[in-house]
């Protein structure tokens, strides 16, 4: 194949969009987010900016390249666990009582940095709890204190 | 006959039995349904976890219990049984199969090897030694690529 290159990356060091489309995307903790549905380029300089991940439920998520850890022949590995993965997870007080579930994650603009969670508890109640008030975030989110300290806070 | 003050801060079996058991990753494993004790020293040895209807129970040694809190028993470990059913991928992210069985080292929570079932159309089971595993999180990831792993297996069987 003939190529024309000037002050740019040679062909053999580039990746084709066809090589990325359909690739599995893993979050930092190994959760399969879905597969690459489209590649996004900067409109002005044509730099690779990110990609759209689609899953079986047809939910689409745009991930910028800052959050890409590595690209292999089989998959793309992210360096984050997107905040959306925490939706629905159980919220537990420091003494083990299940309080409710994560209804919403409020992030700093569109970054993956979480400011606070909106937690659904009781029948129709919600409360906002800051990210720093959690001691552990895993399969469930465990608070540093018991829930009484947060109960009276209204959702922002 | 004991002074009540000497019991300050102590708990009873009632404080643990019937409580949710939460592992180190925040997973609700089940309910504490039994406490095992040495009949002579009365030392607590382990707790039993009822994982639910039709599910095999689990016995966790005392060393893995972090705390008995007001509403739950917290463990300081993630039990190895959670790995069952997880996908196993090579270092590139290629799927090798799913964890079918876990072999632990003695009675510890340490993995000795995994037996995986390959995806269709292959039905052959493969054994993965612990030293080939890079990390175990939501899925299992090996340190090597699929081709290298399959070559190792072929060499072993030859």
């Amino acid at each position: 194949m003939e190529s024309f290159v000037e002050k740019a990356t040679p062909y053999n060091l580039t990746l084709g969009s066809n090589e990325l489309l359909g690739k599995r995307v893993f979050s930092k903790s190994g959760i399969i987010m879905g597969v690459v549905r489209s590649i996004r380029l900067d409109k002005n300089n044509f730099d690779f900016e990110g990609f759209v991940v689609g899953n079986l439920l047809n939910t689409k998520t745009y991930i910028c390249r800052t959050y890409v850890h590595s690209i292999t022949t089989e998959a793309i590995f992210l360096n984050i666990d997107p905040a959306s993965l925490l939706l629905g997870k159980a919220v537990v007080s420091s003494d083990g009582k299940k309080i409710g579930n994560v209804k919403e994650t409020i992030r700093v603009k569109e970054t993956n940095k979480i400011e606070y969670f909106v937690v659904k508890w009781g029948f129709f109640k919600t409360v906002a709890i800051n990210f720093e008030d959690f001691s552990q975030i895993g399969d469930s989110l465990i608070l540093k204190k018991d829930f009484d300290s947060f109960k009276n806070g209204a959702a922002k | 006959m004991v002074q009540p003050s000497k019991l300050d801060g102590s708990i009873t079996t009632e404080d643990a039995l019937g409580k949710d058991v939460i592992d180190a990753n925040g997973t609700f494993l089940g309910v504490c349904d039994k406490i095992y004790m040495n009949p002579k020293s009365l030392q607590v040895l382990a707790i039993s976890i009822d994982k639910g209807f039709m599910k095999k129970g689990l016995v966790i040694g005392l060393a893995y219990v972090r705390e008995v809190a007001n509403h739950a028993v917290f463990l300081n470990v993630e039990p190895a049984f959670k790995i069952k059913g997880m996908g196993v991928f090579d270092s590139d992210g290629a799927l090798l199969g799913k964890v079918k069985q876990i072999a632990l080292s003695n009675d510890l929570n340490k993995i000795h090897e995994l037996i995986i079932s390959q995806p269709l159309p292959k039905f052959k089971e493969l054994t993965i030694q612990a030293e080939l595993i890079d990390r175990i999180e939501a899925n299992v990831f090996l340190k090597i690529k699929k081709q290298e792993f399959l070559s190792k297996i072929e060499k072993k069987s030859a």
Side-chain angles (χ1 to χ4, degrees):
Chain A
M1 183 182 71
E2 209 175 347
S3 62
F4 295 86
V5 180
E6 186 177 326
K7 292 179 188 174
T9 308
Y11 174 80
N12 61 331
L13 294 177
T14 61
L15 274 173
S17 57
N18 57 324
E19 292 171 88
L20 292 176
L21 290 172
K23 263 205 171 70
R24 209 175 271 129
V25 179
F26 288 99
S27 75
K28 187 179 177 187
S29 61
I31 296 169
I32 299 172
M33 302 265 325
V35 297
V36 177
R37 292 270 188 242
S38 75
I39 309 296
R40 309 301 295 178
L41 307 178
D42 184 295
K43 277 184 195 176
N44 297 315
N45 59 25
F46 312 117
D47 280 350
F48 166 69
E49 286 298 326
F51 54 90
V52 174
V53 184
N55 61 19
L56 290 171
L57 298 171
N58 211 28
T59 309
K60 289 180 184 163
T61 308
Y62 173 63
I63 308 273
C64 81
R65 67 179 188 180
T66 315
Y67 295 132
V68 174
H69 174 265
S70 59
I71 299 175
T72 70
T73 51
E74 298 287 337
I76 295 179
F77 290 90
L78 304 182
N79 56 27
I80 55 162
D81 283 311
S84 52
L85 294 175
L86 297 173
L87 293 174
K89 285 209 189 278
V91 176
V92 180
S93 68
S94 57
D95 57 357
K97 187 175 182 183
K98 193 186 163 186
I99 307 300
N101 297 86
V102 175
K103 186 184 175 187
E104 216 178 326
T105 57
I106 306 301
R107 299 178 278 140
V108 175
K109 293 184 182 173
E110 287 183 299
T111 68
N112 197 47
K113 187 173 158 61
I114 299 169
E115 270 193 280
Y116 61 92
F117 296 93
V118 176
V119 177
K120 185 182 166 194
W121 67 284
F123 282 109
F124 302 107
K125 299 176 197 173
T126 55
V127 65
I129 303 178
N130 285 327
F131 181 80
E132 291 82 31
D133 289 323
F134 289 88
S135 62
Q136 186 182 326
I137 295 190
D139 272 352
S140 62
L141 283 65
I142 302 177
L143 293 167
K144 287 179 181 171
K145 296 185 275 192
D146 61 59
F147 186 54
D148 288 339
S149 354
F150 306 100
K151 226 189 248 183
N152 298 319
K156 292 181 193 177
Chain B
M1 288 177 290
V2 62
Q3 281 186 350
S5 57
K6 290 198 174 179
L7 298 175
D8 283 346
S10 65
I11 58 172
T12 68
T13 51
E14 278 182 8
D15 292 308
L17 292 172
K19 287 225 171 89
D20 285 326
V21 180
I22 301 174
D23 76 5
N25 193 35
T27 308
F28 279 74
L29 297 175
V31 167
C32 177
D33 67 337
K34 284 192 197 103
I35 293 177
Y36 292 89
M37 295 165 64
N38 180 304
K40 294 209 168 139
S41 66
L42 302 182
Q43 187 190 2
V44 173
L45 300 171
I47 64 168
S48 165
I49 302 171
D50 179 357
K51 292 194 281 174
F53 184 64
M54 299 281 282
K55 288 183 184 176
K56 197 176 165 189
L58 180 67
V59 178
I60 299 274
L62 187 67
Y64 297 125
V65 176
R66 175 165 66 86
E67 182 192 357
V68 176
N70 287 338
H71 296 280
V73 178
F74 286 97
L75 303 183
N76 56 25
V77 72
E78 277 191 77
F81 80 84
K82 281 172 75 177
I83 302 169
K84 209 169 171 182
M86 276 189 187
V88 179
F89 298 89
D90 76 353
S91 58
D92 273 353
L95 177 68
L96 283 158
K98 279 198 171 177
V99 177
K100 190 177 173 187
Q101 227 175 305
I102 305 155
L104 299 177
S105 297
N106 301 322
D107 281 330
L108 301 173
N109 195 45
K110 199 177 165 191
I111 294 165
H112 172 58
E113 58 186 29
L114 299 177
I115 296 162
I116 67 168
S117 57
Q118 290 187 280
L120 292 170
K122 299 175 187 176
F123 292 102
K124 199 178 163 193
E125 286 178 359
L126 300 174
T127 302
I128 299 175
Q129 302 300 319
E131 48 268 21
L132 293 178
I133 299 170
D134 179 28
R135 58 191 173 107
I136 299 175
E137 290 175 285
N139 287 294
V140 180
F141 294 90
L142 300 189
K143 292 174 184 170
I144 56 177
K145 293 185 185 181
K146 187 175 183 175
Q147 208 41 59
E148 197 182 332
F149 170 69
L150 293 174
S151 308
K152 274 182 192 269
I153 292 190
E154 270 171 36
K155 275 182 193 170
K156 256 188 187 176
S157 50

